[in-house]
Amino acid sequence: MDDGDEEQRRVAEHVEWQKQGAWVVLWGPYTRRFWAFACWPVVPEEGVVVSSADPNVLYTHMRQVEREHRYLEWRYKNPR
């Protein structure tokens, strides 16, 4: 991995930290994209994966998916 990939990996770790365990977020050095895998109990059986080359766009897609699948409703009704 080059220095740019290392920085992108740190960005992916930060996004994952922000989402408090609801997503696994990775940087793909080959694809040059961030990948986020939903891992909450109300995710559809087939799973949910979003990706983007831009971490801000990725975060926006993650929020859209959370709303679409009613994750936030579940999360705030069922605190950990």
Side-chain angles (χ1 to χ4, degrees), residues 55-72:
N56 296 315
V57 173
L58 178 77
Y59 197 89
T60 299
H61 289 313
M62 293 163 74
R63 293 294 286 184
Q64 290 170 339
V65 167
E66 289 171 350
R67 284 190 297 274
E68 178 183 337
H69 294 288
R70 303 176 76 176
Y71 166 72
L72 297 175

mmCIF file of all heavy atoms in Angstrom, residues 55-72:
data_model
loop_
_atom_site.group_PDB
_atom_site.id
_atom_site.type_symbol
_atom_site.label_atom_id
_atom_site.label_comp_id
_atom_site.label_asym_id
_atom_site.label_seq_id
_atom_site.Cartn_x
_atom_site.Cartn_y
_atom_site.Cartn_z
ATOM 1 N N PRO A 55 -15.484 9.660 0.387
ATOM 2 C CA PRO A 55 -16.030 9.263 1.690
ATOM 3 C C PRO A 55 -17.269 10.055 2.103
ATOM 4 O O PRO A 55 -18.147 9.518 2.780
ATOM 5 C CB PRO A 55 -14.877 9.517 2.667
ATOM 6 C CG PRO A 55 -13.984 10.485 1.991
ATOM 7 C CD PRO A 55 -14.143 10.239 0.520
ATOM 8 N N ASN A 56 -17.391 11.300 1.663
ATOM 9 C CA ASN A 56 -18.592 12.078 1.985
ATOM 10 C C ASN A 56 -19.820 11.533 1.264
ATOM 11 O O ASN A 56 -20.902 11.453 1.835
ATOM 12 C CB ASN A 56 -18.384 13.558 1.652
ATOM 13 C CG ASN A 56 -17.293 14.166 2.499
ATOM 14 O OD1 ASN A 56 -17.240 13.946 3.707
ATOM 15 N ND2 ASN A 56 -16.409 14.915 1.870
ATOM 16 N N VAL A 57 -19.639 11.147 0.022
ATOM 17 C CA VAL A 57 -20.734 10.544 -0.741
ATOM 18 C C VAL A 57 -21.087 9.188 -0.134
ATOM 19 O O VAL A 57 -22.263 8.841 -0.007
ATOM 20 C CB VAL A 57 -20.365 10.423 -2.231
ATOM 21 C CG1 VAL A 57 -21.420 9.650 -3.004
ATOM 22 C CG2 VAL A 57 -20.154 11.809 -2.836
ATOM 23 N N LEU A 58 -20.078 8.424 0.261
ATOM 24 C CA LEU A 58 -20.321 7.133 0.909
ATOM 25 C C LEU A 58 -21.191 7.324 2.148
ATOM 26 O O LEU A 58 -22.185 6.622 2.333
ATOM 27 C CB LEU A 58 -19.001 6.473 1.312
ATOM 28 C CG LEU A 58 -19.160 5.141 2.031
ATOM 29 C CD1 LEU A 58 -19.489 4.039 1.046
ATOM 30 C CD2 LEU A 58 -17.910 4.805 2.824
ATOM 31 N N TYR A 59 -20.833 8.287 2.987
ATOM 32 C CA TYR A 59 -21.577 8.551 4.220
ATOM 33 C C TYR A 59 -23.025 8.914 3.905
ATOM 34 O O TYR A 59 -23.956 8.434 4.561
ATOM 35 C CB TYR A 59 -20.897 9.673 5.005
ATOM 36 C CG TYR A 59 -21.324 9.738 6.438
ATOM 37 C CD1 TYR A 59 -20.660 9.003 7.415
ATOM 38 C CD2 TYR A 59 -22.391 10.534 6.832
ATOM 39 C CE1 TYR A 59 -21.049 9.063 8.746
ATOM 40 C CE2 TYR A 59 -22.783 10.599 8.151
ATOM 41 C CZ TYR A 59 -22.112 9.868 9.106
ATOM 42 O OH TYR A 59 -22.501 9.919 10.415
ATOM 43 N N THR A 60 -23.226 9.721 2.868
ATOM 44 C CA THR A 60 -24.585 10.089 2.447
ATOM 45 C C THR A 60 -25.371 8.855 2.021
ATOM 46 O O THR A 60 -26.528 8.685 2.414
ATOM 47 C CB THR A 60 -24.532 11.114 1.292
ATOM 48 O OG1 THR A 60 -23.874 12.290 1.767
ATOM 49 C CG2 THR A 60 -25.912 11.458 0.780
ATOM 50 N N HIS A 61 -24.748 7.972 1.245
ATOM 51 C CA HIS A 61 -25.423 6.731 0.822
ATOM 52 C C HIS A 61 -25.761 5.853 2.025
ATOM 53 O O HIS A 61 -26.827 5.237 2.070
ATOM 54 C CB HIS A 61 -24.555 5.945 -0.162
ATOM 55 C CG HIS A 61 -24.431 6.562 -1.513
ATOM 56 N ND1 HIS A 61 -25.490 7.040 -2.240
ATOM 57 C CD2 HIS A 61 -23.339 6.781 -2.276
ATOM 58 C CE1 HIS A 61 -25.072 7.528 -3.386
ATOM 59 N NE2 HIS A 61 -23.758 7.383 -3.431
ATOM 60 N N MET A 62 -24.853 5.802 2.981
ATOM 61 C CA MET A 62 -25.101 4.996 4.182
ATOM 62 C C MET A 62 -26.326 5.521 4.916
ATOM 63 O O MET A 62 -27.186 4.730 5.340
ATOM 64 C CB MET A 62 -23.864 5.019 5.087
ATOM 65 C CG MET A 62 -22.670 4.309 4.488
ATOM 66 S SD MET A 62 -21.103 4.717 5.280
ATOM 67 C CE MET A 62 -21.250 3.824 6.809
ATOM 68 N N ARG A 63 -26.441 6.827 5.072
ATOM 69 C CA ARG A 63 -27.608 7.424 5.749
ATOM 70 C C ARG A 63 -28.888 7.142 4.978
ATOM 71 O O ARG A 63 -29.927 6.846 5.571
ATOM 72 C CB ARG A 63 -27.411 8.933 5.909
ATOM 73 C CG ARG A 63 -26.307 9.326 6.841
ATOM 74 C CD ARG A 63 -26.583 8.933 8.254
ATOM 75 N NE ARG A 63 -27.588 9.826 8.820
ATOM 76 C CZ ARG A 63 -27.992 9.797 10.067
ATOM 77 N NH1 ARG A 63 -27.489 8.929 10.896
ATOM 78 N NH2 ARG A 63 -28.901 10.623 10.499
ATOM 79 N N GLN A 64 -28.829 7.213 3.648
ATOM 80 C CA GLN A 64 -30.015 6.920 2.834
ATOM 81 C C GLN A 64 -30.476 5.481 3.038
ATOM 82 O O GLN A 64 -31.672 5.219 3.194
ATOM 83 C CB GLN A 64 -29.716 7.169 1.355
ATOM 84 C CG GLN A 64 -29.555 8.622 1.010
ATOM 85 C CD GLN A 64 -29.024 8.834 -0.399
ATOM 86 O OE1 GLN A 64 -28.413 7.947 -1.002
ATOM 87 N NE2 GLN A 64 -29.230 10.039 -0.918
ATOM 88 N N VAL A 65 -29.528 4.566 3.059
ATOM 89 C CA VAL A 65 -29.852 3.154 3.258
ATOM 90 C C VAL A 65 -30.423 2.920 4.655
ATOM 91 O O VAL A 65 -31.371 2.150 4.828
ATOM 92 C CB VAL A 65 -28.610 2.265 2.999
ATOM 93 C CG1 VAL A 65 -28.819 0.850 3.486
ATOM 94 C CG2 VAL A 65 -28.254 2.288 1.527
ATOM 95 N N GLU A 66 -29.853 3.595 5.644
ATOM 96 C CA GLU A 66 -30.376 3.468 7.007
ATOM 97 C C GLU A 66 -31.834 3.913 7.062
ATOM 98 O O GLU A 66 -32.663 3.250 7.701
ATOM 99 C CB GLU A 66 -29.536 4.296 7.983
ATOM 100 C CG GLU A 66 -28.166 3.718 8.221
ATOM 101 C CD GLU A 66 -27.261 4.635 9.010
ATOM 102 O OE1 GLU A 66 -27.607 5.816 9.233
ATOM 103 O OE2 GLU A 66 -26.172 4.172 9.394
ATOM 104 N N ARG A 67 -32.164 5.007 6.402
ATOM 105 C CA ARG A 67 -33.554 5.472 6.380
ATOM 106 C C ARG A 67 -34.440 4.501 5.603
ATOM 107 O O ARG A 67 -35.544 4.173 6.033
ATOM 108 C CB ARG A 67 -33.645 6.873 5.793
ATOM 109 C CG ARG A 67 -33.198 7.948 6.759
ATOM 110 C CD ARG A 67 -33.512 9.341 6.259
ATOM 111 N NE ARG A 67 -32.822 9.684 5.031
ATOM 112 C CZ ARG A 67 -31.592 10.196 4.973
ATOM 113 N NH1 ARG A 67 -30.906 10.424 6.068
ATOM 114 N NH2 ARG A 67 -31.050 10.489 3.823
ATOM 115 N N GLU A 68 -33.961 4.055 4.470
ATOM 116 C CA GLU A 68 -34.730 3.143 3.615
ATOM 117 C C GLU A 68 -35.109 1.855 4.355
ATOM 118 O O GLU A 68 -36.215 1.355 4.207
ATOM 119 C CB GLU A 68 -33.902 2.806 2.371
ATOM 120 C CG GLU A 68 -34.556 1.846 1.418
ATOM 121 C CD GLU A 68 -33.643 1.503 0.257
ATOM 122 O OE1 GLU A 68 -32.726 2.296 -0.054
ATOM 123 O OE2 GLU A 68 -33.841 0.428 -0.330
ATOM 124 N N HIS A 69 -34.184 1.348 5.144
ATOM 125 C CA HIS A 69 -34.418 0.085 5.847
ATOM 126 C C HIS A 69 -34.816 0.291 7.303
ATOM 127 O O HIS A 69 -34.831 -0.660 8.091
ATOM 128 C CB HIS A 69 -33.182 -0.814 5.746
ATOM 129 C CG HIS A 69 -32.918 -1.253 4.345
ATOM 130 N ND1 HIS A 69 -33.700 -2.170 3.696
ATOM 131 C CD2 HIS A 69 -31.981 -0.843 3.448
ATOM 132 C CE1 HIS A 69 -33.257 -2.335 2.465
ATOM 133 N NE2 HIS A 69 -32.211 -1.537 2.295
ATOM 134 N N ARG A 70 -35.128 1.526 7.659
ATOM 135 C CA ARG A 70 -35.658 1.887 8.978
ATOM 136 C C ARG A 70 -34.704 1.533 10.119
ATOM 137 O O ARG A 70 -35.122 1.243 11.224
ATOM 138 C CB ARG A 70 -37.028 1.264 9.168
ATOM 139 C CG ARG A 70 -37.993 1.682 8.063
ATOM 140 C CD ARG A 70 -39.302 1.033 8.158
ATOM 141 N NE ARG A 70 -40.024 1.709 9.245
ATOM 142 C CZ ARG A 70 -41.260 1.445 9.559
ATOM 143 N NH1 ARG A 70 -41.930 0.542 8.890
ATOM 144 N NH2 ARG A 70 -41.848 2.080 10.545
ATOM 145 N N TYR A 71 -33.414 1.585 9.828
ATOM 146 C CA TYR A 71 -32.427 1.294 10.863
ATOM 147 C C TYR A 71 -32.502 2.297 12.005
ATOM 148 O O TYR A 71 -32.467 1.922 13.178
ATOM 149 C CB TYR A 71 -31.006 1.277 10.285
ATOM 150 C CG TYR A 71 -29.949 1.326 11.362
ATOM 151 C CD1 TYR A 71 -29.726 0.217 12.172
ATOM 152 C CD2 TYR A 71 -29.213 2.474 11.607
ATOM 153 C CE1 TYR A 71 -28.789 0.259 13.194
ATOM 154 C CE2 TYR A 71 -28.271 2.525 12.611
ATOM 155 C CZ TYR A 71 -28.059 1.410 13.400
ATOM 156 O OH TYR A 71 -27.136 1.457 14.415
ATOM 157 N N LEU A 72 -32.585 3.574 11.683
ATOM 158 C CA LEU A 72 -32.574 4.592 12.728
ATOM 159 C C LEU A 72 -33.770 4.443 13.655
ATOM 160 O O LEU A 72 -33.645 4.602 14.870
ATOM 161 C CB LEU A 72 -32.525 6.000 12.126
ATOM 162 C CG LEU A 72 -31.256 6.299 11.327
ATOM 163 C CD1 LEU A 72 -31.355 7.664 10.681
ATOM 164 C CD2 LEU A 72 -30.031 6.197 12.207
#
